[in-house]
Amino acid sequence: MALIRRGMPCALCRAPLLEGQPIFATSGVWLPPEDPLHRYCDAAMHWSCYAAWPQRPRFARVHVEAWVKGDDQDIWSAAVHLDDVVFVTRSLQSNRISVLLFETGTGHVVTVENWEAWLGGGVADAYAGLHPLLDAALAEARARLSRALPTVAAIEAAVSPRKRALVAEEWERGLRQQAEMKRYDDALDVMAEAAAREGLACPQCRVVRNDYKLSHKNREKRYLQCRRCGHRFGPDGPVLR
Ligand SMILES: [Zn+2]
Ligand SMILES: [Zn+2]
């Protein structure tokens, strides 16, 4: 959301945004600078001003279209429904389902556990009651989704196998990286112990020493450092910084 301060001017009518007034706000910029609607990105306005704004249908539609494009690039999110009213994504790293409405440009987060209750109206939407236009758009989206994605199982079935495979690959890559870091750290500890106990020839200056400095830096590759020549090395060879 754009940074909203009470009393700041509405992007449309310039009157202050007051306590208790429903406010529509977006964050991020999804229009090129030459677009006349560019200056309304990342801005806040009265919901009543937004609803009556002649540019609102286009502004809302391109906002959701930007989400659709962005989602395709995001491996942790899967598009599970798209029609002319509503776009739905399922997060692949949390229990969030996002519902985006073309009519209003609003995004509504529903948890997987609440999906069926939300569809049936048993769980109120966080933005319900802000404006009749929004309530009508939500009702239309729920009606469409009750047919298209009536259950959590239907949502899971709609996640593309390509996205699932990308996520599985990414998990495996992470696990391999962790395993590789552990192997390196263990080998470095063994090397440091042996050097302290028996002495070790520095690979650069060739002097045998037992007082190597062992780095403890987090998030950086750890190493032994020769106190004579400054050379840094580990079990796999020189460590460059
Ligand atoms: Zn206003
Ligand atoms: Zn050395």
Side-chain angles (χ1 to χ4, degrees):
M1 286 274 184
L3 203 59
I4 304 169
R5 280 170 286 104
R6 290 288 156 186
M8 73 189 276
C10 166
L12 292 173
C13 75
R14 309 310 296 170
L17 302 170
L18 300 176
E19 193 71 45
Q21 291 177 327
I23 288 166
F24 172 84
T26 56
S27 62
V29 175
W30 61 92
L31 286 168
E34 63 273 17
D35 193 296
L37 299 185
H38 173 263
R39 68 193 188 93
Y40 299 101
C41 295
D42 206 39
M45 49 194 87
H46 298 109
W47 239 108
S48 53
C49 293
Y50 178 61
W53 186 31
Q55 299 297 329
R56 191 259 312 152
R58 178 171 168 250
F59 185 78
R61 195 184 68 245
V62 292
H63 190 198
V64 177
E65 283 169 358
W67 271 85
V68 174
K69 273 189 209 125
D71 189 76
D72 193 49
Q73 312 294 317
D74 181 357
I75 78 152
W76 301 105
S77 176
V80 290
H81 180 83
L82 176 63
D83 64 23
D84 57 332
V85 165
V86 60
F87 174 53
V88 184
T89 64
R90 161 79 164 104
S91 166
L92 299 178
Q93 60 184 145
S94 78
N95 64 346
R96 286 160 60 108
I97 296 166
S98 298
V99 177
L100 296 117
L101 310 182
F102 281 99
E103 180 71 2
T104 53
T106 48
H108 304 257
V109 174
V110 185
T111 62
V112 169
E113 304 80 70
N114 280 345
W115 177 249
E116 288 160 38
W118 181 86
L119 276 184
V123 170
D125 188 85
Y127 298 127
L130 279 188
H131 194 276
L133 178 81
L134 178 56
D135 288 345
L138 268 172
E140 171 72 14
R142 278 173 160 139
R144 295 265 182 131
L145 296 173
S146 294
R147 293 191 293 273
L149 294 172
T151 59
V152 171
I155 290 199
E156 301 303 355
V159 173
S160 88
R162 181 183 73 91
K163 276 275 166 91
R164 288 227 192 266
L166 283 173
V167 166
E169 242 172 59
E170 198 57 31
W171 270 106
E172 274 161 32
R173 195 200 333 264
L175 290 175
R176 274 199 307 273
Q177 249 171 25
Q178 273 176 21
E180 166 53 23
M181 273 170 62
K182 177 155 168 32
R183 178 207 66 81
Y184 179 90
D185 272 354
D186 289 352
L188 183 70
D189 287 337
V190 167
M191 194 177 184
E193 263 178 50
R197 201 173 52 238
E198 297 152 18
L200 177 71
C202 168
Q204 183 161 275
C205 69
R206 302 285 169 197
V207 174
V208 175
R209 316 177 60 98
N210 63 0
D211 63 347
Y212 288 95
K213 197 171 135 194
L214 177 61
S215 70
H216 287 284
K217 282 201 176 145
N218 289 330
R219 283 197 285 274
E220 250 181 66
K221 198 167 186 180
R222 294 163 64 228
Y223 50 82
L224 290 180
Q225 186 170 23
C226 174
R227 288 186 196 269
R228 180 165 182 269
C229 72
H231 183 64
R232 299 183 175 102
F233 62 100
D236 301 340
V239 173
L240 305 169
R241 283 211 311 167

